[in-house]
């Protein structure tokens, strides 16, 4: 925040223990988005953040997990609505304690478990999404990865070439490898069953709401992408990117609602009105939840997920703006329209949360206004 306040009209550098990061102006984003992905890559930037080139290199060698989202999940979100609703009802029935009176509940753990179940229904489907070993592994992976990351980040830069060796001395690294091994073991029978169904002509796993795992198995473009070991890594990578960040947002929203009962009642009224109209839970109706959308936006503006202690984010305990977004790594020298020169290897990002707390952009930014954008 200090860097933004001092240099918000210009770019500035942040020195992190493992590398320097260039914070660009928000106005540069549109131009950066137009740069071909071969020249400015987001995947490599995220893996640099994760110090993960030696244990998540499948995310660089293949874009299968990204294609599964863009080509399978996003175009079929409407088909997933009923599936997610049913799984959410099941998750709440299983996870929320039964009690006739007030019962103290650890909200962080509860919502993390529920989100892990919802994530799994997209990624691996039934019955694996209800397998306790899978759910525990998918939740634990994020903690083990980020624990490893943060320890390695504290080491002097000259030790960076030794990170693959040093990592193997860390308990968190070995727990992470165990997570991958468990995922490989658990998805193997799912893939075998799917293959048998295809061979016998009885495949019913290719519907619009089928899991991403079977879609990736069918649509891998080469043997590398179809390899069960790599498919396990892809599924875990998808969970890594979805569970903890989503749970963090849900936790913030729940706490924000708890202290604002009038807002809660207003959201309930809107929800009842929307789902009782023709179409029920259909996507067109859900898009009419304008108050909920405004509330969620305000909750994330005040408490970005990366600032939460519930989210093992990549920027915690480091000299970097933890609320920076749009991470990119220059794969070759680039020159922007204003003359800014980005040498190959430059790590760039944008200070998002600081912008949203800027009184020149957001009036009265310290006040929580649930319906600010309604």
């Amino acid at each position: 925040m200090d860097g933004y306040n001092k240099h918000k009209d210009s770019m500035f550098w942040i020195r992190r223990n493992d590398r320097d990061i260039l914070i660009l102006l928000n106005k540069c984003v549109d131009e950066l988005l137009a740069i071909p992905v071969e020249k400015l890559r987001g995947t490599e930037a995220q893996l640099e953040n994760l110090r993960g080139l030696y244990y998540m290199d499948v995310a660089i060698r293949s874009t299968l997990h990204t294609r599964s989202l863009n080509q399978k999940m996003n175009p079929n979100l409407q088909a997933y609505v009923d599936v997610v609703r049913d799984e959410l009802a099941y998750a709440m029935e299983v996870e929320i304690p039964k009690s006739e009176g007030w019962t103290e509940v650890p909200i962080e753990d509860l919502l993390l478990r529920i989100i892990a179940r919802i994530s799994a229904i997209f990624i691996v489907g039934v019955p694996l999404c209800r397998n306790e070993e899978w759910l525990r592994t998918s939740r634990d992976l994020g903690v083990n990865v980020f624990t490893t990351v943060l320890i390695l980040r504290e080491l002097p830069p000259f030790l960076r070439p030794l990170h693959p060796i040093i990592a193997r001395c860390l308990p968190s690294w070995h727990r992470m490898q165990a997570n991958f091994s468990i995922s490989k073991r658990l998805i193997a029978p799912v893939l075998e069953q799917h293959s048998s169904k295809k061979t016998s002509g009885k495949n019913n796993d290719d519907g619009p709401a089928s899991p991403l795992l079977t879609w990736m198995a069918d649509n891998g473009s080469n043997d590398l992408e179809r390899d069960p070991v790599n498919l396990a890594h892809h599924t875990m990578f998808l969970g890594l990117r979805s569970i903890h960040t989503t749970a963090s947002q849900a936790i913030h929203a729940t706490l924000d609602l708890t202290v604002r009962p009038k807002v809660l009642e207003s959201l309930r009224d809107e929800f009842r009105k929307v789902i009782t109209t023709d179409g029920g839970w259909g996507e067109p109706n859900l898009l009419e939840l304008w108050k909920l959308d405004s509330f969620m936006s305000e909750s994330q503006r005040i408490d970005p997920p990366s600032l939460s202690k519930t989210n093992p984010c990549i920027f915690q305990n480091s000299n970097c703006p933890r609320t920076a977004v749009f991470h990119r790594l220059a794969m070759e020298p680039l020159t922007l329209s204003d003359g800014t020169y980005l040498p190959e290897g430059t790590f760039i990002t944008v200070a998002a949360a600081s912008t949203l707390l800027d009184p020149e952009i957001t009036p009265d930014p310290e006040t929580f206004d649930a319906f600010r954008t309604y």
Side-chain angles (χ1 to χ4, degrees):
M1 192 71 183
D2 289 342
Y4 175 82
N5 290 335
K6 294 177 182 177
H7 308 286
K8 65 180 181 181
D9 294 324
S10 63
M11 67 189 71
F12 59 95
W13 287 93
I14 291 291
R15 173 152 292 180
R16 199 169 69 185
N17 198 39
D18 59 332
R19 71 174 306 126
D20 292 342
I21 299 177
L22 180 62
I23 311 297
L24 294 177
L25 296 174
N26 288 1
K27 68 179 183 180
C28 298
V29 171
D30 288 340
E31 181 177 356
L32 294 172
L33 286 172
I35 297 176
V37 68
E38 295 78 15
K39 298 181 179 180
L40 193 65
R41 293 189 64 87
T43 300
E44 279 81 353
Q46 293 292 355
L47 291 176
E48 276 285 299
N49 274 328
L50 295 174
R51 312 294 325 122
L53 298 180
Y54 54 91
Y55 59 79
M56 285 189 177
D57 60 335
V58 66
I60 287 182
R61 291 184 288 118
S62 167
T63 60
L64 182 60
H65 58 284
T66 304
R67 301 202 310 271
S68 73
L69 297 176
N70 293 336
Q71 299 177 28
K72 165 61 177 173
M73 191 182 78
N74 291 346
N76 294 294
L77 286 177
Q78 173 63 49
Y80 283 102
V81 170
D82 289 339
V83 174
V84 171
R85 181 192 60 194
D86 293 343
E87 193 62 24
L88 178 59
Y90 174 82
M92 295 180 71
E93 178 71 20
V94 171
E95 299 292 352
I96 297 179
K98 305 295 186 298
S99 175
E100 295 181 359
W102 287 100
T103 300
E104 187 172 313
V105 175
I107 190 66
E108 296 177 5
D109 182 64
L110 173 65
L111 289 178
L112 182 61
R113 291 178 62 84
I114 291 177
I115 296 299
R117 288 179 178 276
I118 300 304
S119 174
I121 194 68
F122 281 103
I123 299 173
V124 295
V126 178
L128 198 52
C129 69
R130 297 181 179 180
N131 181 299
E132 284 298 327
E133 191 175 19
W134 174 271
L135 294 171
R136 182 175 61 254
T137 297
S138 62
R139 296 194 307 268
D140 290 349
L141 177 66
V143 175
N144 294 326
V145 166
F146 291 118
T147 298
T148 304
V149 168
L150 294 175
I151 293 174
L152 293 178
R153 185 169 292 172
E154 294 302 315
L155 300 177
F158 71 85
L159 290 177
R160 182 172 178 175
L162 299 178
H163 278 187
I165 298 174
I166 297 172
R168 286 167 170 78
C169 299
L170 302 175
S172 58
W173 186 88
H174 290 281
R175 291 193 297 268
M176 182 176 63
Q177 298 308 310
N179 295 147
F180 285 125
S181 296
I182 292 171
S183 71
K184 296 169 192 174
R185 171 170 57 81
L186 292 178
I187 73 166
V190 176
L191 294 174
E192 291 174 5
Q193 184 181 43
H194 177 68
S195 178
S196 298
K197 287 181 179 179
K198 287 188 64 178
T199 302
S200 64
K202 298 179 180 180
N203 180 34
N204 60 354
D205 295 335
D206 57 354
S210 59
L212 299 180
L213 172 60
T214 53
W215 186 93
M216 291 190 291
D218 291 341
N219 291 273
S221 59
N222 51 50
D223 291 339
L224 172 70
E225 292 191 337
R226 291 187 291 269
D227 179 70
V229 173
N230 286 331
L231 286 173
H233 278 257
H234 281 299
T235 57
M236 295 301 283
F237 192 72
L238 287 169
L240 177 68
R241 303 303 301 169
S242 63
I243 295 174
H244 286 277
T245 50
T246 306
S248 179
Q249 294 173 14
I251 292 165
H252 278 308
T254 301
L255 296 177
D256 287 334
L257 278 178
T258 301
V259 297
R260 297 174 178 86
K262 291 184 178 180
V263 173
L264 177 58
E265 279 304 314
S266 182
L267 294 181
R268 280 176 172 167
D269 291 341
E270 179 187 58
F271 191 74
R272 292 190 188 103
K273 178 181 178 181
V274 168
I275 66 170
T276 54
T277 59
D278 291 341
W281 282 74
E283 184 178 359
N285 281 358
L286 296 180
L287 294 177
E288 296 298 317
L289 296 171
W290 299 112
K291 289 184 178 180
L292 177 62
D293 183 78
S294 175
F295 166 76
M296 293 295 294
S297 296
E298 187 72 353
S299 179
Q300 293 175 47
R301 184 187 70 82
I302 294 291
D303 293 302
S306 58
L307 282 180
S308 170
K309 67 178 181 179
T310 64
N311 180 28
C313 78
I314 54 179
F315 287 125
Q316 283 184 325
N317 303 327
S318 63
N319 296 322
C320 180
R322 294 175 293 170
T323 52
V325 297
F326 194 81
H327 309 282
R328 295 294 187 272
L329 190 67
M331 308 306 294
E332 61 181 66
L334 298 170
T335 302
L336 303 183
S337 60
D338 62 358
T340 300
Y341 176 72
L342 305 176
E344 180 180 351
T346 302
F347 192 114
I348 63 173
T349 187
V350 174
S354 299
T355 303
L356 295 174
L357 293 174
D358 187 341
E360 295 182 8
I361 297 174
T362 304
D364 195 14
E366 300 297 331
T367 299
F368 190 105
D369 182 356
F371 304 131
R372 184 184 294 271
T373 59
Y374 174 62

